[in-house]
Amino acid sequence: KAGVTQTPRYLIKTRGQQVTLSCSPISGHRSVSWYQQTPGQGLQFLFEYFSETQRNKGNFPGRFSGRQFSNSRSEMNVSTLELGDSALYLCASSWGGDSYNEQFFGPGTRLTVL
Amino acid sequence: AQTVTQSQPEMSVQEAETVTLSCTYDTSESDYYLFWYKQPPSRQMILVIRQEAYKQQNATENRFSVNFQKAAKSFSLKISDSQLGDAAMYFCAYIPGTYKYIFGTGTRLKVLA
């Protein structure tokens, strides 16, 4: 069974631009979560989607948004990029039936904002 | 606020020795899960071990075991017979049941040959 895939793997943008990251979950998984990982901060929860509905979100500004499609694939968008948005963005999928399902992580998208 | 604290940014262990990584969390919930995830240098996170808060027995997975102290809100990971492949970032995660994982800042484990 294929794992969680994220595209692109690396991205370089400049301040003020916007970016869209994509995540394809494991087949059969209906929940997708997004995290921002930075050195010293660990993983910060962005949001979680299940069957195209956002069930929870973290404490990030409105510039960060996401969505999920009917095939469970998910996208994350960051508008008006800032230098501080440089990070590894991780996507994780799970069956999603309850909160305690194991999450399976993708390799991440490394975003650099210049 | 629900928080997870990993007070050891970095630890080292000799191959074949035992090491314990600490994790504490803050919560007012009575029912929750705790996970330890491993992130090797290749970056893909994998689950190491999980503990249900309602279970008093500590979870064990081969060389990995936990010491879960619910009253103290402590959840440490013990790695026995450490191997070079254990070198990674280890993250403790608290799952309160709201479809949201709360992670600690991680502990980088170095295994010395």
Side-chain angles (χ1 to χ4, degrees):
Chain A
K1 187 184 265 190
V4 177
T5 58
Q6 292 186 245
T7 57
R9 292 293 309 279
Y10 301 91
L11 210 46
I12 299 175
K13 292 286 187 179
T14 56
R15 280 181 299 172
Q17 287 187 309
Q18 76 164 18
V19 66
T20 299
L21 312 182
S22 180
C23 172
S24 292
I26 290 171
S27 177
H29 284 190
R30 297 167 64 189
S31 167
V32 173
S33 297
W34 288 89
Y35 298 88
Q36 181 193 67
Q37 183 179 6
T38 54
Q41 293 290 317
L43 278 76
Q44 303 286 313
F45 173 77
L46 283 154
F47 25 67
E48 188 265 358
Y49 288 89
F50 179 81
S51 293
E52 301 178 70
T53 300
Q54 186 183 87
R55 292 193 296 194
N56 206 338
K57 59 181 292 186
N59 298 321
F60 278 81
R63 300 186 296 107
F64 292 81
S65 63
R67 60 177 176 169
Q68 186 181 35
F69 302 95
S70 58
N71 62 357
S72 295
R73 189 178 69 85
S74 177
E75 286 182 350
M76 190 194 102
N77 185 76
V78 188
S79 62
T80 318
L81 283 166
E82 300 177 359
L83 295 178
D85 296 333
S86 294
L88 181 69
Y89 289 88
L90 294 171
C91 157
S93 77
S94 70
W95 172 65
D98 65 56
S99 272
Y100 309 127
N101 296 145
E102 175 186 354
Q103 292 192 344
F104 294 82
F105 285 79
T109 293
R110 169 73 63 187
L111 173 64
T112 301
V113 182
L114 303 176
Chain B
Q2 297 166 331
T3 58
V4 175
T5 300
Q6 293 181 249
S7 58
Q8 307 150 316
E10 188 172 298
M11 292 195 70
S12 296
V13 62
Q14 290 285 341
E15 203 175 359
E17 296 295 307
T18 296
V19 65
T20 298
L21 310 183
S22 67
C23 172
T24 58
Y25 56 96
D26 184 25
T27 183
S28 57
E29 304 289 333
S30 60
D31 193 18
Y32 50 87
Y33 275 52
L34 295 160
F35 288 11
W36 276 99
Y37 272 88
K38 169 184 177 181
Q39 188 180 42
S42 65
R43 297 286 184 185
Q44 204 121 6
M45 302 257 289
I46 54 174
L47 180 66
V48 174
I49 197 165
R50 80 178 79 194
Q51 174 77 44
E52 298 91 336
Y54 64 86
K55 289 187 177 179
Q56 292 187 347
Q57 186 173 4
N58 289 324
T60 298
E61 288 287 342
N62 301 313
R63 299 183 294 107
F64 299 86
S65 61
V66 300
N67 182 7
F68 174 49
Q69 303 288 329
K70 191 173 184 178
K73 298 178 185 175
S74 171
F75 181 60
S76 60
L77 174 70
K78 186 172 83 170
I79 306 173
S80 304
D81 185 26
S82 296
Q83 301 175 359
L84 295 177
D86 294 334
M89 282 289 288
Y90 286 82
F91 292 96
C92 175
Y94 159 74
I95 302 90
T98 56
Y99 310 110
K100 175 180 179 177
Y101 277 38
I102 300 168
F103 282 87
T105 52
T107 296
R108 180 175 302 282
L109 178 66
K110 294 183 177 181
V111 181
L112 309 173

